């Protein structure tokens, strides 16, 4: 079969559909508005809706699990020792619907401090539910409300954003006002849109939905429709895992010595530091540091340092063209063979195989 992809903004901006679209046998489409739904309905061909709102009644569509998304995001921060969380949502984005109330409930049940930013109606931030780049004067005014909220938040804090685009906005607004990311604020997006996560510095960590698998599932549904086979009206999508990048390195600990050590690890892990030199820099005994880390982090400082080096290696494997040996060197592994063996013991795959799996080819 021949497949053709048309960006949705072309479809929204043109009053008439392109001629080639009128010759297709079926469509997989992101349908964010009733206008787009009406145009697709007029084609009189099978359509699979990738958007969670039902703007084309009768077409099979996908639905993200609100409970699974929010729970996974909260779990991620709790495992990092964070007990102060914020949710940044937007009624203009369909996936955000229900996440705010679920976030508040889960935080209350777990005894976590929670803060909420959820503009609705005229105050919503997004344009057409997904576009944060086209700004009117009124939207800039509302955007200042987001900035004020970020300034007033107690810190350090973990912020869960309803999508990756808003996560990128939050990072930029924090940096504009000198709020350190990830020093004071950790930011986690939801969605796994790599282009948006890598468009900002520090790069955005995200709760990933496997978009390649979503595309494959949509193609399977369309094939079933074309062959007259029954399909479910709604397919629920579950999140995969958190992809950690640079925006979630905030240190959550009440021990000032451990916090200082963690900040030094974050700043110098790639320089070849070891625990002996770390103790000397801070001016404490190794026993004091070991006890503090085990109490606050549940692991030794050596294990935390190794975790940080492995995290950096995974990010380079996923987002760079460097060789495995070059990545080992940049992450302060003096022996690339040792790095490869350690990587496989931890993740079950060699660095090269993990990279191929991560990139989907």
């Amino acid at each position: 079969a021949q497949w053709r992809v048309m960006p949705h903004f072309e479809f929204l901006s043109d009053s008439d559909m392109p001629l080639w679209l009128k010759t297709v046998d079926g469509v997989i489409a992101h349908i964010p508005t009733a206008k787009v739904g009406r145009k697709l309905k007029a084609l009189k061909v099978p359509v699979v809706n990738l958007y969670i709102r039902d703007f084309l009644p009768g077409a099979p569509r996908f639905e993200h699990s609100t409970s699974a998304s929010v729970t996974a995001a909260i779990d991620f921060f709790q495992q990092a020792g964070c007990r102060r969380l914020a949710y940044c949502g937007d009624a203009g984005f369909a996936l955000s619907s229900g996440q705010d109330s679920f976030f508040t409930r889960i935080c209350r049940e777990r005894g976590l401090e929670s803060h909420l930013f959820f503009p609705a109606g005229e105050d919503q931030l997004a344009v057409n539910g997904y576009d944060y780049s086209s700004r009117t004067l009124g939207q800039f005014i509302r955007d200042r409300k987001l900035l004020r909220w970020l300034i007033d938040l107690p810190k350090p804090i973990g912020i869960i954003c309803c999508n990756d685009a808003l996560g990128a906005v939050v990072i930029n607004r924090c940096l504009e006002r000198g709020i350190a990311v990830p020093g004071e604020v950790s930011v986690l997006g939801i969605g796994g849109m790599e282009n948006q996560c890598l468009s900002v510095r520090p790069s955005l960590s995200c709760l990933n939905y496997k978009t390649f698998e979503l595309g494959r599932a949509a193609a399977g549904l369309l094939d079933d429709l074309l062959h007259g086979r029954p399909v479910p009206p709604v397919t629920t999508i579950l999140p995969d895992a958190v992809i950690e990048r640079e925006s979630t390195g905030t240190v959550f600990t009440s021990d000032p010595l451990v916090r200082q050590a963690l900040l030094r690890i974050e700043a110098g892990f790639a320089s070849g530091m070891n625990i002996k030199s770390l103790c000397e820099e801070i001016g404490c005994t190794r026993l004091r540091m070991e006890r503090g880390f085990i109490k606050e982090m549940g692991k030794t400082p050596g294990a935390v340092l190794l975790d940080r080096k492995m995290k950096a290696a995974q990010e380079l494997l996923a987002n760079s063209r460097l060789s495995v040996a070059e990545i080992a060197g940049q992450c302060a592994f003096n022996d690339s063979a040792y790095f490869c063996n350690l990587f496989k013991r931890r993740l079950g795959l060699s660095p090269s195989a993990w990279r191929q799996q991560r990139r989907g080819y």
Side-chain angles (χ1 to χ4, degrees), residues 7-85:
H8 62 253
F9 54 81
E10 292 181 13
F11 201 57
L12 288 171
S13 60
D14 294 338
S15 58
D16 296 317
M17 292 179 291
L19 293 177
W20 65 263
L21 189 57
K22 298 179 180 180
T23 65
V24 301
D25 299 310
V27 178
I28 298 172
H30 179 273
I31 310 176
T33 66
K35 172 185 175 183
V36 176
R38 289 192 297 270
K39 288 185 176 182
L40 290 172
K41 184 177 180 179
L43 295 175
K44 301 186 185 302
V45 298
V47 177
V48 174
N49 183 8
L50 295 178
Y51 197 59
I52 63 175
R53 285 185 175 165
D54 192 11
F55 287 121
L56 182 54
R61 61 185 176 87
F62 289 86
E63 184 174 88
H64 293 74
S65 172
T66 295
S67 59
S69 299
V70 174
T71 301
I74 292 175
D75 287 346
F76 169 77
F77 279 118
Q78 273 201 277
Q79 289 166 10
C82 178
R83 298 192 60 79
R84 179 188 292 146
L85 292 171

Side-chain angles (χ1 to χ4, degrees), residues 269-284:
F269 71 89
S271 66
M273 70 162 46
N274 55 43
I275 303 306
K276 180 182 178 181
S277 64
L278 183 61
C279 290
E280 291 173 352
E281 283 185 47
I282 294 176
C284 73

